[in-house]
Amino acid sequence: MNALFLDENLIAQLVRRGVVSDTFRRLTPDKKNRVYRVAIRLFGVYGYDGLAVDQLCKEAGISKGSFFQYFPSKSHLLEFVVLVFDDYLARWLAEIRQNEKAVLARDRLSYLYQSLVVNSRLFKDDERFFLFITSAMNHSAVTIEGIDLEHHFRDYVEEIIERGERTGEIRGDFDVEMTGYLAALIIEGLIRRQYGDRKLAQRETEEYLISFLFDGIKA
Amino acid sequence: MNALFLDENLIAQLVRRGVVSDTFRRLTPDKKNRVYRVAIRLFGVYGYDGLAVDQLCKEAGISKGSFFQYFPSKSHLLEFVVLVFDDYLARWLAEIRQNEKAVLARDRLSYLYQSLVVNSRLFKDDERFFLFITSAMNHSAVTIEGIDLEHHFRDYVEEIIERGERTGEIRGDFDVEMTGYLAALIIEGLIRRQYGDRKLAQRETEEYLISFLFDGIKA
DNA sequence: ATTGCTTATGACCATATAGTCATTTAGAAG
DNA sequence: CTTCTAAATGACTATATGGTCATAAGCAAT
C-alpha cells in the first residue's frame, strides 16, 4: 500500500463523482501519476491559491488544454488529491487496526505513533502536503464537503481512549471526545516536529509521548 | 491595555523601521484605527493572498492612492498588523508576569489559561486573526524576519515549567523545551475550541487542562 | 487512403489585483 | 487672496492566472 500511486478502482469511483474526467482515467498510469505527484508537491509548497495551473502543466509535461480536459476546474484538482489521500488514510488506518496485536492502550498509541513516523518517511519529499491538508481542511477557502481527514485520525485515537477506559487502564472521569482530541493534538505536534528542523530520536520521542500522556508532568 | 487600539509610540517606531510612512503616523487616530481594524478582520477571514487592497480601502473608507502612501506595499500592511499584535502580546505577557501572585506552577497555568480566554473574548469579532497569525507565522509565503509570536507564548509556558521543576512540583526528568511545547500546544488547542463551534464551560475546561496535564490519563 | 473518434495544444479571453501617478483638494501661513 | 505643503484621489498600467476553444495530431478500423 502506497500513498504515492493511484489506484484504478478509486479513480473510476472519482470519475463517477465527477471529480475527474473519463479522459483522465484512460491516460497512461505514468501520466496520471506525474500529474498527481506534481499537484501534491505544489499544493504542499504553495497552498491552494499559490498553485498556478500553468506551472503544474509545465512540470507535469502536459498542456493547459489537456489539464482542463482532465479536471473540470482547479478546485477539482484539489478535491482529487484530497480524496486520494483520504482513501489512503482510510486504508492505512484499517491496516493498523487489523495488524495490532497489542492489547494495552499505551501499546496501541505507541504503535500508532510509530506507524505515523514511518508514514512521514514515506512522504519524504511531500511532507508539506501532509500539513497543508490538515490546515486546508480547517480554514481553507475551498471547502470540500463531506471530507474531514482529521476525523479519520481522531476517530481512531478516540477508539483507543475509549477502549482504555473500558479495560480500566485509562481513568474514566475524562470525556472521551475531549481526551481524544488532546491526545491527537499531541501526537500531531510531535510528528510536526519530526517534519521540522528539530530531528528527534524516534524511540525517545515515543517514550516521551506515552509518559507525558499517561503519567502527566507532576513530580 | 487594549489590542485593538494603536499606540503612538509604537507607530513612531514602525515609521523608523520603514513599515509605515510618516504620512500614516500623522493621520487622525480614527482613520488609523479604521485601517488597522479592517486589515485585521480581512487578513483573519481571507488570509494574506485573499485580502484585496481594493476591498480594504473601500471598507476603511480611504482611496487606493492613499493606501500606498501609508504602506510601501501590501506585505508591509501585514508586517504592520503583525508587529502591533506582537507588541500587544509582549505587553500582555509582561503584565500577567507581574500580576501573578500564585506560586504553584498549576496555578500559574490556570491563570495563563484564564487570561487567554479573556483575551479571546477581547478579540470577539477578530478571532480568526488570532488563528491566522499563528498559522501565518508557520507556513506563510510572506515571512517576516525576526518575529515569532508563538515564541513569546511558549517562552512563558517554558518559564512556568522550568520553575515548577525547580520547586519540585513538576518532574525533573522531562525536557523543559519539549514539555513547554506540548503544554502550549494543549492550551492553544483548548482555546481553539473556545473559538470554534463547541462552546465549553470555562471553569471545567480549565480544570480539565490542569488535571490532564499534571496527572495524565492513567487510571 | 479515408473516416471517425480520442487526445493534445497553445493562443486567446476575461478578470482580478498590486502598484503608479498626474491631478485635485484641504488647510495653514503670510 | 496667494502661496505652499501635505494629503486624497481614481483612472491607468502591468501582470498573473483560471478557463475556453478552434485546430491539429494520433490512432484504430475499414
Side-chain angles (χ1 to χ4, degrees):
Chain A
M1 187 180 66
N2 194 318
L4 304 178
F5 291 96
L6 302 170
D7 177 61
E8 294 291 332
N9 291 331
L10 175 61
I11 292 184
Q13 206 176 303
L14 297 181
V15 170
R16 257 171 270 131
R17 288 181 56 168
V19 178
V20 294
S21 70
D22 216 39
T23 303
F24 180 76
R25 186 181 61 77
R26 285 189 293 262
L27 295 178
T28 63
D30 174 62
K31 194 177 255 187
K32 277 184 282 197
N33 278 305
R34 251 158 45 216
V35 172
Y36 174 62
R37 294 298 309 272
V38 172
I40 273 195
R41 205 183 66 244
L42 295 185
F43 274 136
V45 175
Y46 301 112
Y48 179 74
D49 289 328
L51 177 144
V53 177
D54 280 310
Q55 194 188 349
L56 176 125
C57 290
K58 217 166 84 184
E59 296 198 20
I62 61 171
S63 71
K64 199 168 186 177
S66 288
F67 176 86
F68 285 99
Q69 248 160 4
Y70 304 157
F71 304 95
S73 74
K74 179 181 166 181
S75 68
H76 285 85
L77 174 67
L78 175 61
E79 200 171 342
F80 170 67
V81 295
V82 164
L83 286 171
V84 170
F85 194 82
D86 187 62
D87 178 72
Y88 166 74
L89 254 193
R91 280 183 292 131
W92 169 67
L93 280 176
E95 194 186 79
I96 70 172
R97 269 191 180 100
Q98 253 184 342
N99 283 5
E100 68 188 352
K101 303 195 176 64
V103 177
L104 293 177
R106 51 195 314 152
D107 289 341
R108 297 179 94 201
L109 283 172
S110 279
Y111 188 59
L112 173 64
Y113 177 75
Q114 274 173 42
S115 187
L116 270 169
V117 171
V118 170
N119 259 268
S120 82
R121 295 236 178 77
L122 186 65
F123 279 93
K124 242 184 12 275
D125 298 328
D126 308 305
E127 47 192 43
R128 292 189 192 193
F129 183 70
F130 196 95
L131 305 177
F132 165 71
I133 283 287
T134 51
S135 86
M137 297 276 91
N138 290 332
H139 43 68
S140 169
V142 183
T143 16
I144 298 169
E145 73 259 7
I147 303 173
D148 184 1
L149 292 182
E150 271 190 303
H151 216 246
H152 281 306
F153 180 61
R154 231 192 286 162
D155 275 355
Y156 181 62
V157 177
E158 269 180 43
E159 190 181 310
I160 295 176
I161 302 292
E162 201 178 355
R163 182 179 171 143
E165 285 198 8
R166 273 207 313 274
T167 63
E169 192 193 0
I170 293 176
R171 51 195 282 200
D173 60 328
F174 272 168
D175 175 49
V176 170
E177 204 263 333
M178 177 84 111
T179 304
Y181 169 70
L182 293 181
L185 204 66
I186 292 170
I187 293 173
E188 194 196 320
L190 287 174
I191 295 294
R192 215 173 266 263
R193 286 222 146 180
Q194 292 281 357
Y195 282 142
D197 44 351
R198 226 171 305 253
K199 289 294 171 202
L200 310 165
Q202 181 185 337
R203 189 73 211 165
E204 284 164 25
T205 309
E206 186 192 328
E207 279 163 13
Y208 200 105
L209 161 71
I210 298 299
S211 180
F212 181 90
L213 210 52
F214 278 80
D215 304 324
I217 64 176
K218 195 168 60 186
Chain B
M1 189 180 66
N2 194 318
L4 304 178
F5 291 98
L6 302 170
D7 177 62
E8 295 290 334
N9 291 331
L10 175 61
I11 292 184
Q13 206 177 303
L14 297 182
V15 170
R16 255 172 272 131
R17 287 181 57 168
V19 179
V20 294
S21 70
D22 216 39
T23 303
F24 181 77
R25 186 182 60 77
R26 284 188 293 262
L27 295 178
T28 63
D30 174 62
K31 194 176 256 187
K32 276 184 285 198
N33 277 305
R34 251 159 42 217
V35 172
Y36 175 61
R37 294 299 308 273
V38 172
I40 273 193
R41 205 183 67 246
L42 296 185
F43 274 136
V45 176
Y46 300 111
Y48 178 74
D49 289 328
L51 178 143
V53 176
D54 279 311
Q55 193 188 349
L56 176 125
C57 291
K58 216 166 85 183
E59 294 198 22
I62 61 172
S63 71
K64 199 168 186 175
S66 288
F67 176 86
F68 284 99
Q69 248 159 3
Y70 304 158
F71 304 94
S73 75
K74 179 180 166 182
S75 67
H76 285 85
L77 175 68
L78 176 61
E79 200 171 342
F80 170 68
V81 296
V82 165
L83 286 171
V84 170
F85 194 83
D86 187 62
D87 179 73
Y88 166 75
L89 253 194
R91 282 183 291 131
W92 169 68
L93 280 176
E95 195 186 78
I96 70 171
R97 270 193 180 99
Q98 253 184 341
N99 284 6
E100 67 187 354
K101 302 196 176 65
V103 176
L104 293 177
R106 51 195 315 152
D107 288 342
R108 297 178 98 201
L109 283 172
S110 280
Y111 187 59
L112 172 65
Y113 177 75
Q114 274 174 43
S115 188
L116 269 170
V117 171
V118 170
N119 259 268
S120 83
R121 295 235 177 78
L122 186 66
F123 281 93
K124 243 184 11 271
D125 297 329
D126 308 305
E127 48 192 43
R128 291 189 193 195
F129 182 70
F130 196 95
L131 304 178
F132 166 70
I133 282 288
T134 51
S135 87
M137 297 276 93
N138 290 332
H139 43 68
S140 167
V142 183
T143 16
I144 298 169
E145 74 260 7
I147 302 172
D148 184 2
L149 292 182
E150 271 189 304
H151 215 245
H152 281 306
F153 179 61
R154 230 191 286 164
D155 275 355
Y156 182 62
V157 176
E158 270 181 42
E159 190 182 310
I160 296 177
I161 301 291
E162 201 178 355
R163 183 180 170 142
E165 285 197 9
R166 275 207 311 274
T167 64
E169 191 193 1
I170 293 176
R171 52 196 282 200
D173 61 328
F174 272 168
D175 175 48
V176 170
E177 204 264 332
M178 177 84 110
T179 305
Y181 170 70
L182 293 180
L185 204 66
I186 293 171
I187 292 172
E188 194 197 320
L190 287 175
I191 295 293
R192 216 172 265 262
R193 287 221 146 181
Q194 291 282 357
Y195 282 141
D197 45 349
R198 227 172 303 256
K199 288 295 171 201
L200 309 166
Q202 182 186 337
R203 188 74 210 165
E204 283 164 26
T205 309
E206 187 192 328
E207 278 162 14
Y208 200 104
L209 161 70
I210 297 299
S211 180
F212 182 90
L213 209 51
F214 278 79
D215 303 323
I217 64 176
K218 196 169 58 187

